[in-house]
Amino acid sequence: MLRWALMSLCFIAHYDVSSGQDRVEQSYREMPASEGVQVILRCNYTTTSNTPYLFWYKQLPNRSPTFILNKYSFSEGTTEAEFKKRFSATLDSTSRSVPLTIQDVCVSDSAVYYCALQ
């Protein structure tokens, strides 16, 4: 007899961080998910810059934030090697968003995720 268990993962987003007219806003405080699914963490931004430069970070409890990736308005940006297989983001300058997509989520993905704008 096989037993299936759904594992609840928690993605916590710190949101509405601003500096002057430039700011980012993340739409979820917590996002429960089952292991193996795709999760999309939303991040909208406002900036006076014509060339936005956005970042995603992951922070585990009692640890410093870890860089995941960055996106430029006219470039692909970079993604850290350990995140390349399952983590991706696309900067959409029309909707002013840079959602982070995590494929095939696993328990170790449970963390606080930060979107940042330079």
Side-chain angles (χ1 to χ4, degrees):
M1 176 181 193
L2 293 174
R3 291 187 189 183
W4 293 92
L6 293 180
M7 191 151 283
S8 178
L9 304 177
C10 187
F11 299 87
I12 301 174
H14 185 272
Y15 62 95
D16 198 17
V17 178
S18 63
S19 173
Q21 294 180 8
D22 294 346
R23 67 186 226 158
V24 295
E25 184 176 329
Q26 293 174 247
S27 56
Y28 300 105
R29 280 202 177 269
E30 291 185 27
M31 178 182 278
S34 298
E35 194 167 20
V37 301
Q38 173 183 288
V39 171
I40 299 174
L41 303 178
R42 307 274 179 215
C43 177
N44 294 315
Y45 66 91
T46 302
T47 184
T48 55
S49 173
N50 292 329
T51 55
Y53 188 22
L54 289 116
F55 302 81
W56 275 101
Y57 294 90
K58 173 182 178 180
Q59 186 173 21
L60 295 170
N62 302 313
R63 299 299 251 318
S64 298
T66 301
F67 171 75
I68 298 173
L69 58 81
N70 62 27
K71 291 292 176 181
Y72 304 93
S73 58
F74 301 110
S75 171
E76 280 299 308
T78 59
T79 304
E80 279 297 299
E82 70 178 287
F83 296 104
K84 278 189 178 187
K85 187 173 182 181
R86 297 183 306 109
F87 289 68
S88 63
T90 302
L91 193 149
D92 184 339
S93 58
T94 303
S95 67
R96 295 188 171 253
S97 65
V98 61
L100 178 68
T101 301
I102 307 171
Q103 301 288 337
D104 193 25
V105 295
C106 55
V107 174
S108 63
D109 294 328
S110 296
V112 177
Y113 289 82
Y114 294 96
C115 177
L117 169 68
Q118 178 179 337

